[in-house]
Amino acid sequence: MSVKSDVSLMKQASPKLAATSNELRNKVLEKIADNLLKEKDKIFAANEQDLKYAKDNDVAPQVQKRLLFNEHKLEDVISGIKQLMTLDDPIGKVSLARELDEGLTLYRVSCPIGVIGVVFEARPDALVQIATLCLKSGNCAILKGGKETANTNKVLFDIVKESAKEAGLPEGILLQATAHSDIDELLDCYGLVDLLIPRGSNAFVQYIMNNTKIPVMGHADGICHIYVDEDFNEDLAIPVIVDAKTQYTAACNSVETILINRKIAKEFLPKLAKTLAENNVKLFGNKEVLEIIDAQKMEDDAYAKEYLDLCASVKIVENVDEAIEHINKFGSHHTDCIITDNDETANKFMQMVDSAGVYQNASTRFADGFRYGFGAEVGISTSKIHARGPVGLEGLVTYKYKLFGHGHVVADYANGSKTFKHRDL
């Protein structure tokens, strides 16, 4: 069958999944966790094939880091599933209850989005995280992972799908797209797919947005900043920056640009550069930076750079206002941080920086659904409509209005024989 015909059947199954109980959906998650443990040797063997393929085909080192699925990754995935099971049911939450008139009551109630297509990078743990979030929130999921993890993804998807079947969920609620051509078929499923979430390069996300009528939610680049203010704590600043850059360099929430207040630059920047060099981080800077430390030269218009590697851009700024201006100009609206003990300055930074995540004195690597207590995330949204930041359960539901009446008709209100009360219940 074609992707479109499979998705058409999925659209029909969507209301059935939306109507399942939270207990049943949690039972599915428990089965997935159990079966992942039972089949771990099979998963690891498939992952070894992917790792060998990547090495033999000179896949970029930062990409190879994402391919690994070992005991540690499995523990993290299962921990995320267990956390997800403890979260409240996102379906059926009432966010508005209003009596329009006597016997005429209106409710706004959360419900699944429906059919969600997620195209994600070569990271096997992402498949499980995305699938379990979709299932917990009552959404059908079409999953397309990177070709570099084809073997691991196939094993993981089969485990998730079989677990859902064993637990008694409706047929046809999960679909794995495997060929690159499947993406173009998916983009043509307007009316069948309710939302697309692409994860990857800016060029890839733009391609998705420009070639479909389906609503798209996602982020492209992760150009994250840390601004070190004049009122900073040096003992705090350096470990935070090192963590944000080196803890996992290939992640979209690793810091890419470090901004330093001019008043502290001559004293602080050499110390920071020394520590970063000890952690194998290569720095890039403009003329002013090069007058203070050894770094690779860069031009002032080249700061919109996502390295995803042990590299970082450095710039000296006059004050928090210039830092804000720089971030809003060159950033990707992902996650940005200020290092300062001045709460007034921090509040200004956090109010004025136009990003999904704004931090004070904390590593940008905290921008993550699991770390936020969402169980996991389907991605990080840098848009402002529907969902923003790490997208967990709340970002995977929408709402509908339910109106209960007793033969009420609009004509009675149009002719003045009745009037609305609009009383919140």
Side-chain angles (χ1 to χ4, degrees):
M1 295 178 74
S2 68
V3 168
K4 198 163 189 175
S5 59
D6 285 337
V7 175
S8 181
L9 294 174
M10 180 176 281
K11 186 70 172 177
Q12 296 175 41
S14 175
K16 298 176 184 176
L17 177 59
T20 58
S21 67
N22 186 50
E23 289 73 21
L24 176 56
R25 283 177 269 122
N26 277 340
K27 181 182 174 184
V28 175
L29 300 188
E30 188 172 17
K31 277 197 172 294
I32 292 171
D34 290 343
N35 288 336
L36 286 171
L37 278 174
K38 288 178 185 175
E39 301 289 344
K40 68 177 185 177
D41 290 340
K42 189 175 180 181
I43 299 168
F44 298 154
N47 191 240
E48 284 294 329
Q49 289 181 270
D50 290 329
L51 292 171
K52 183 178 185 304
Y53 175 86
K55 187 175 180 180
D56 292 346
N57 289 272
D58 295 321
V59 172
Q62 61 264 37
V63 176
Q64 289 192 42
K65 291 178 184 177
R66 294 185 174 209
L67 308 185
L68 180 64
F69 194 92
N70 54 14
E71 288 277 2
H72 177 67
K73 287 284 187 180
L74 180 60
E75 288 173 8
D76 285 348
V77 164
I78 291 176
S79 179
I81 294 173
K82 298 293 186 183
Q83 185 184 65
L84 199 53
M85 291 171 60
T86 67
L87 299 181
D88 292 340
D89 188 358
I91 303 173
K93 289 188 173 181
V94 177
S95 56
L96 179 144
R98 180 168 295 163
E99 183 184 58
L100 305 187
D101 193 8
E102 186 176 348
L104 185 63
T105 51
L106 177 70
Y107 299 89
R108 184 169 62 214
V109 185
S110 63
C111 62
I113 290 172
V115 177
I116 300 177
V118 189
V119 186
F120 53 97
E121 71 279 30
R123 221 187 77 202
D125 50 326
L127 185 143
V128 182
Q129 291 169 352
I130 293 164
T132 52
L133 274 167
C134 286
L135 291 173
K136 172 77 175 185
S137 57
N139 289 289
C140 296
I142 306 156
L143 306 172
K144 172 67 176 76
K147 65 180 180 181
E148 295 86 354
T149 49
N151 294 295
T152 317
N153 284 346
K154 178 67 168 62
V155 174
L156 291 172
F157 179 80
D158 288 346
I159 290 171
V160 171
K161 187 176 181 180
E162 187 59 32
S163 299
K165 183 179 177 181
E166 286 176 14
L169 286 188
E171 293 278 350
I173 59 170
L174 292 167
L175 174 65
Q176 184 183 27
T178 54
H180 186 74
S181 59
D182 290 345
I183 295 177
D184 289 328
E185 266 201 80
L186 183 60
L187 299 183
D188 195 38
C189 288
Y190 177 68
L192 298 175
V193 176
D194 299 292
L195 179 67
L196 284 175
I197 304 176
R199 296 168 32 151
S201 69
N202 184 51
F204 173 69
V205 174
Q206 290 300 318
Y207 174 82
I208 297 290
M209 290 179 171
N210 294 333
N211 287 276
T212 188
K213 294 180 181 178
I214 301 168
V216 177
M217 177 176 69
H219 85 276
D221 297 335
I223 305 170
C224 301
H225 299 74
I226 292 180
Y227 163 60
V228 185
D229 185 52
E230 60 182 295
D231 299 316
F232 79 116
N233 180 325
E234 184 178 307
D235 293 336
L236 176 154
I238 291 179
V240 166
I241 295 170
V242 170
D243 181 87
K245 182 69 263 182
T246 68
Q247 197 272 330
Y248 186 39
T249 58
C252 61
N253 56 13
S254 63
V255 68
E256 303 291 19
T257 299
I258 303 161
L259 304 174
I260 311 290
N261 187 287
R262 186 165 282 114
K263 291 180 181 178
I264 63 168
K266 288 184 179 179
E267 182 179 350
F268 174 67
L269 188 49
K271 296 177 182 177
L272 175 64
K274 181 177 182 292
T275 305
L276 288 173
E278 290 169 354
N279 285 272
N280 301 310
V281 177
K282 183 188 295 184
L283 297 180
F284 295 77
N286 59 9
K287 182 180 177 182
E288 186 177 10
V289 170
L290 267 59
E291 290 174 354
I292 301 175
I293 61 169
D294 288 329
Q296 300 292 314
K297 186 179 180 181
M298 66 183 297
E299 300 303 322
D300 281 331
D301 61 354
Y303 280 92
K305 177 72 173 176
E306 183 182 31
Y307 295 102
L308 298 176
D309 203 351
L310 288 170
C311 302
S313 303
V314 180
K315 186 177 181 181
I316 297 168
V317 295
E318 184 64 32
N319 50 34
V320 68
D321 294 310
E322 188 179 343
I324 292 166
E325 182 180 354
H326 177 98
I327 293 168
N328 287 340
K329 179 179 180 180
F330 291 102
S332 60
H333 312 292
H334 191 297
T335 304
D336 300 288
C337 167
I338 181 172
I339 304 289
T340 186
D341 289 337
N342 187 319
D343 290 340
E344 185 177 342
T345 304
N347 288 337
K348 182 175 187 178
F349 179 92
M350 298 172 91
Q351 177 68 38
M352 299 298 292
V353 168
D354 185 21
S355 296
V358 283
Y359 295 1
Q360 178 184 5
N361 298 335
S363 169
T364 56
R365 287 282 292 124
F366 280 104
D368 176 84
F370 176 73
R371 297 184 183 108
Y372 280 10
F374 296 169
E377 66 189 37
V378 294
I380 293 180
S381 172
T382 53
S383 65
K384 299 181 182 180
I385 297 176
H386 179 66
R388 198 177 192 195
V391 181
L393 290 178
E394 288 186 1
L396 294 179
V397 294
T398 182
Y399 55 80
K400 62 176 68 174
Y401 287 98
K402 296 183 177 181
L403 183 66
F404 299 88
H406 292 81
H408 291 76
V409 294
V410 170
D412 290 339
Y413 300 89
N415 64 28
S417 61
K418 288 186 177 182
T419 58
F420 291 110
K421 292 184 173 61
H422 291 155
R423 182 175 68 88
D424 287 335
L425 302 174

